[in-house]
Amino acid sequence: MKSDIEIAREARKRPIGEIAAKLGLGPHDFLPYGHDKAKITHEFIGRLNSHRHGRLVLVTAINPTPAGEGKTTTTVGLGDALNRIGRRATICIREASLGPNFGMKGGAAGGGMAQIVPMEEMNLHFTGDFHAVTSAHNLLAALIDNHIHWGNALRIDPRRVTWRRVIDMNDRALRQTTVALGGPSNGHPRESGFDITVASEVMAILCLASDLADLQARLGRIIVAETFDRQPVTARELQADGAMTALLRDALQPNLVQTLENNPALVHGGPFANIAHGCNSVVATRTALATSDYVVTEAGFGADLGAQKFLDIKCRLAGLSPAAVVLVATVRALKMNGGVARADLGTENVPALEAGCANLGRHIENLRGYGLPVVVAINHFTSDTETEIAAVRDYCAGHGVQAVLCRHWAEGGKGAEELARAVARLAEGDEARFEKLYPDEMSLWQKIETICKRIYRADHVEAPPAIHEKLAEWQAAGHGSLPVCMAKTQYSFSADPSALGAPSGFTIPLREVRLSAGAGFVVAICGDIMTMPGLPRVPAAVRIGLDERGRIDGLF
């Protein structure tokens, strides 16, 4: 099998105008970025029939492991397979962050014969959306310090500026910084820091806004600091929302590309799922729903983070309702959850596999708790044995769900046709009875406890008095109806990344809470999770360069 990048370079891409036509776009409805990517215009989106809706299918997964699960690959393979069986399907995923690309995880365009292209551009600068988010976020940061420097008419307390700067890179040295050193002409010195761009509230706002007017309204509601008498200061009071919207005008338009099988894919937005809400943009999803029979989308990391946030934040705020859920698992990852070392995953081990299936079972229970029909996709590896595959199928049958073996990585859409037929049966049936995990009127603290106890299966949530005081303050200020966005390790149901499988009887330590008034949720940061990741000992960046023909080498 050729490498992902070799396969992507050999793709027989169609002109982007042909892909646009599949969604009903005319020549003036999209803005080409070269021959193989484009942005869908605000004008076309504004003309869409909001009452026409395709069926929405969510692809999620068990908790990620170094063994690999293949959620994006399955999303792409399923989208291609649905088109193969006669359903007009569009894929909606997030854009890739430079942080993981040059760090440990790599890109986010699928793999093997189930990829979205152009892969190299998508995983680097693409259409510049992330740069626009970074610029808009940092413009607001500059305006805060500038306002303080030139008289501070809003009486901002420099000690209570909460708006940090961002960069789309893993850089642990920027987690805590001191700004404005060097004398009075450089401003008022204070402590601050950087987050990664995909953790920015501006990124979350871009992905939750319905149009340009809503985008500016949400940007204006961002709370950046407190005054000396502890009153909130917003971006609108700093008159920053107009310029920020101008920087983000083009970025709000969804990006149109294609799969290896020339099916449409909207790749737009990129909030992290272990820090932010981990879903592609509402604008892209709604556009796809209005122009397709099926929309296949994914939510980042395992179902305890990505799916929970998709269902309780994105679907709540955008009025979406999934028709079915695909839960991705691999034999290798389940064996790792059962205690098998990575070096031994190629050896058959049914007892460990069955033990690791506890992780799969908990995700099934959680998803069905939302009233949604579930099908398990077993993403095939060549080391899988028939006995192991049968064990996963039997386990899923015991939980009342079908498990389908998928070979889309090796065969493209053809290898996921059985999965596509299973999804179509569920989505076109009447099983979906979507119910959110908690009501809007539940208190912020109760929402946190509900997620931790019902989704993670924690016994207790531990938080210092300052967090309870802050939540009560926000509740009193009218923010109590907001959903909660948990920031937690993706590797475990608990806050301990080494606790694989289905741990129980643990405590979730709540370290910090942040109000994202513009995005429309409260962030609860648990354990040691960082909003600015660091690079690993041997980052992927050291392997990336250009070959003798000037092509990018080492990205995959």
Side-chain angles (χ1 to χ4, degrees):
M1 189 74 176
K2 297 176 181 178
S3 68
D4 289 351
I5 199 165
E6 288 173 328
I7 294 169
R9 283 176 179 158
E10 294 176 0
R12 296 183 178 180
K13 291 179 287 188
R14 303 304 305 160
I16 198 62
E18 292 186 18
I19 306 302
K22 293 185 176 184
L23 298 178
L25 278 72
H28 301 292
D29 296 329
F30 62 94
L31 304 170
Y33 278 62
H35 301 292
D36 53 10
K37 51 188 180 293
K39 279 189 168 291
I40 300 177
T41 66
H42 292 300
E43 291 75 18
F44 175 81
I45 294 169
R47 297 196 307 268
L48 288 174
N49 182 356
S50 59
H51 299 292
R52 185 192 183 284
H53 280 293
R55 292 178 171 88
L56 182 60
V57 177
L58 172 65
V59 178
T60 185
I62 62 174
N63 291 92
T65 68
E69 289 70 42
K71 186 170 69 277
T72 305
T73 306
T74 303
T75 300
V76 177
L78 174 59
D80 282 338
L82 283 166
N83 280 290
R84 288 177 66 92
I85 66 169
R87 272 71 167 183
R88 293 190 311 115
T90 297
I91 296 159
C92 285
I93 66 170
R94 295 171 295 162
E95 301 176 52
S97 166
L98 295 180
N101 282 343
F102 294 123
M104 182 185 299
K105 180 178 179 290
M113 300 306 297
Q115 292 189 59
I116 296 175
V117 288
M119 183 263 275
E120 293 163 85
E121 289 93 328
M122 283 175 52
N123 284 304
L124 294 176
H125 303 287
F126 202 21
T127 58
D129 294 344
F130 280 29
H131 300 311
V133 171
T134 301
S135 297
H137 182 113
N138 290 337
L139 170 63
L140 179 55
L143 289 171
I144 295 167
D145 286 312
N146 188 64
H147 181 89
I148 295 171
H149 176 72
W150 291 108
N152 199 5
L154 292 173
R155 301 189 70 251
I156 295 172
D157 186 344
R159 301 166 301 176
R160 293 192 168 91
V161 174
T162 55
W163 193 252
R164 294 152 60 90
R165 286 166 169 80
V166 297
I167 184 172
D168 190 33
M169 199 63 62
N170 293 359
D171 193 343
R172 62 172 54 83
L174 294 178
R175 287 173 182 161
Q176 297 296 326
T177 64
T178 303
V179 299
L181 297 179
S185 64
N186 292 343
H188 290 255
R190 61 181 180 85
E191 292 186 9
S192 185
F194 280 72
D195 294 328
I196 191 167
T197 296
V198 283
S200 166
E201 185 179 354
V202 176
M203 177 66 83
I205 288 172
L206 181 80
C207 289
L208 291 170
S210 56
D211 53 33
L212 286 170
D214 185 39
L215 176 68
Q216 181 160 351
R218 289 174 178 272
L219 291 170
R221 292 196 294 268
I222 294 172
I223 295 173
V224 300
E226 290 182 347
T227 64
F228 286 106
D229 53 357
R230 304 299 299 274
Q231 296 303 304
V233 179
T234 66
R236 183 174 296 113
E237 291 176 285
L238 288 162
Q239 298 179 299
D241 52 322
M244 294 172 72
T245 305
L247 282 171
L248 295 167
R249 182 193 62 178
D250 292 345
L252 187 61
Q253 298 175 131
N255 304 301
L256 174 65
V257 284
Q258 62 190 289
T259 69
L260 293 177
E261 299 184 14
N262 310 123
N263 293 310
L266 299 184
V267 181
H268 194 218
F272 267 8
N274 60 346
I275 299 171
H277 70 289
C279 309
N280 76 299
S281 76
V282 167
V283 172
T285 303
R286 284 178 171 168
T287 300
L289 285 169
T291 55
S292 311
D293 298 329
Y294 275 81
V295 175
V296 184
T297 190
E298 67 172 11
F301 293 127
D304 57 316
L305 284 173
Q308 187 270 313
K309 294 175 184 182
F310 177 88
L311 298 169
D312 285 311
I313 297 178
K314 181 175 178 177
C315 289
R316 184 189 304 267
L317 298 182
L320 301 173
S321 183
V325 179
V326 176
L327 180 59
V328 181
T330 63
V331 168
R332 290 167 55 85
L334 291 172
K335 286 193 288 189
M336 181 167 274
N337 270 284
V340 176
R342 188 175 183 180
D344 300 325
L345 292 174
T347 303
E348 183 179 288
N349 191 330
V350 174
L353 172 67
E354 291 173 337
C357 279
N359 186 271
L360 174 63
R362 182 171 290 179
H363 287 300
I364 293 172
E365 293 168 4
N366 286 343
L367 292 168
R368 296 185 76 182
Y370 283 94
L372 296 172
V374 179
V375 59
V376 171
I378 306 173
N379 187 17
H380 181 257
F381 278 70
T382 55
S383 61
D384 300 346
T385 69
E386 291 298 325
T387 304
E388 290 173 328
I389 293 167
V392 177
R393 282 182 165 144
D394 290 345
Y395 181 88
C396 291
H399 280 70
V401 301
Q402 181 184 3
V404 179
L405 185 65
C406 304
R407 292 186 169 88
H408 44 274
W409 184 86
E411 301 176 10
K414 178 183 176 182
E417 285 188 21
E418 184 183 353
L419 176 64
R421 286 189 285 269
V423 166
R425 282 194 298 271
L426 292 178
E428 293 166 15
D430 59 355
E431 291 187 43
R433 299 287 187 274
F434 178 44
E435 295 183 5
K436 302 174 187 70
L437 185 65
Y438 51 78
D440 292 345
E441 58 271 18
M442 182 180 281
S443 74
L444 293 172
W445 176 251
Q446 287 176 313
K447 290 171 184 173
I448 292 170
E449 281 195 315
T450 298
I451 296 169
C452 292
K453 292 182 177 181
R454 289 183 55 185
I455 299 298
Y456 308 155
R457 306 298 207 278
D459 281 353
H460 180 64
V461 184
E462 184 178 79
I467 285 181
H468 287 281
E469 292 169 8
K470 186 63 70 176
L471 292 174
E473 176 186 320
W474 294 338
Q475 196 87 28
H479 301 297
S481 62
L482 298 182
V484 170
C485 181
M486 303 297 292
K488 181 187 74 70
T489 179
Q490 64 269 32
Y491 298 114
S492 173
F493 279 102
S494 73
D496 176 6
S498 66
L500 303 184
S504 59
F506 55 86
T507 295
I508 292 287
L510 195 57
R511 189 181 85 234
E512 181 185 354
V513 288
R514 298 180 183 179
L515 175 60
S516 296
F521 53 69
V522 170
V523 180
I525 301 176
C526 306
D528 297 326
I529 195 70
M530 295 289 183
T531 54
M532 168 54 85
L535 292 169
R537 182 180 296 274
V538 182
V542 303
R543 300 188 296 271
I544 296 172
L546 300 180
D547 65 15
E548 65 280 357
R549 297 173 60 183
R551 300 179 305 183
I552 296 171
D553 187 38
L555 189 59
F556 282 94

